[in-house]
Amino acid sequence: MVTIGTKRVHVKMDRAAFDHRDGEVANFLPSDLDPGHVGAPRSSDRMNDAFTALKLAAGTDLVAVALEAGIITAEQAEQIKTAWASHLEN
């Protein structure tokens, strides 16, 4: 939870990376903060990365099968792989 005071930003760690930090409140100057996550990767981020890698591998395998079967050309295979990777990033 983040609250903004008159001069500082108060950050309460509801679920910290380490249990002994749960509920701890830290105070920062707004200029000291960068948006985003810093530190140990979150479990949800690691799971999302794993699913994305799985989807990318499945798409790559499908393109390889279509290429071997002569359904698509090598140029089309590269275009499909690029489009699929772009789709997964968004």
mmCIF file of all heavy atoms in Angstrom, residues 1 3 24 71 85:
data_model
loop_
_atom_site.group_PDB
_atom_site.id
_atom_site.type_symbol
_atom_site.label_atom_id
_atom_site.label_comp_id
_atom_site.label_asym_id
_atom_site.label_seq_id
_atom_site.Cartn_x
_atom_site.Cartn_y
_atom_site.Cartn_z
ATOM 1 N N MET A 1 0.842 -1.157 0.000
ATOM 2 C CA MET A 1 0.000 0.000 0.000
ATOM 3 C C MET A 1 0.898 1.234 0.000
ATOM 4 O O MET A 1 1.887 1.285 0.719
ATOM 5 C CB MET A 1 -0.893 -0.009 1.249
ATOM 6 C CG MET A 1 -1.724 1.238 1.371
ATOM 7 S SD MET A 1 -2.834 1.219 2.803
ATOM 8 C CE MET A 1 -1.694 1.485 4.113
ATOM 9 N N THR A 3 0.885 5.471 0.310
ATOM 10 C CA THR A 3 0.173 6.723 0.573
ATOM 11 C C THR A 3 1.155 7.862 0.381
ATOM 12 O O THR A 3 2.358 7.703 0.609
ATOM 13 C CB THR A 3 -0.407 6.769 2.005
ATOM 14 O OG1 THR A 3 0.644 6.573 2.943
ATOM 15 C CG2 THR A 3 -1.474 5.717 2.205
ATOM 16 N N GLU A 24 5.779 -3.712 7.507
ATOM 17 C CA GLU A 24 6.751 -2.640 7.741
ATOM 18 C C GLU A 24 6.422 -1.433 6.862
ATOM 19 O O GLU A 24 5.989 -1.569 5.724
ATOM 20 C CB GLU A 24 8.158 -3.154 7.425
ATOM 21 C CG GLU A 24 9.256 -2.186 7.789
ATOM 22 C CD GLU A 24 10.637 -2.806 7.619
ATOM 23 O OE1 GLU A 24 10.863 -3.908 8.173
ATOM 24 O OE2 GLU A 24 11.459 -2.201 6.930
ATOM 25 N N ILE A 71 4.116 -26.421 -46.148
ATOM 26 C CA ILE A 71 2.903 -25.600 -46.142
ATOM 27 C C ILE A 71 3.243 -24.119 -46.229
ATOM 28 O O ILE A 71 2.508 -23.342 -46.826
ATOM 29 C CB ILE A 71 2.062 -25.905 -44.881
ATOM 30 C CG1 ILE A 71 1.614 -27.360 -44.899
ATOM 31 C CG2 ILE A 71 0.869 -24.965 -44.765
ATOM 32 C CD1 ILE A 71 1.005 -27.826 -43.594
ATOM 33 N N ALA A 85 5.957 -13.678 -31.523
ATOM 34 C CA ALA A 85 6.734 -13.120 -30.422
ATOM 35 C C ALA A 85 6.224 -11.720 -30.065
ATOM 36 O O ALA A 85 6.097 -11.385 -28.882
ATOM 37 C CB ALA A 85 8.218 -13.071 -30.793
#
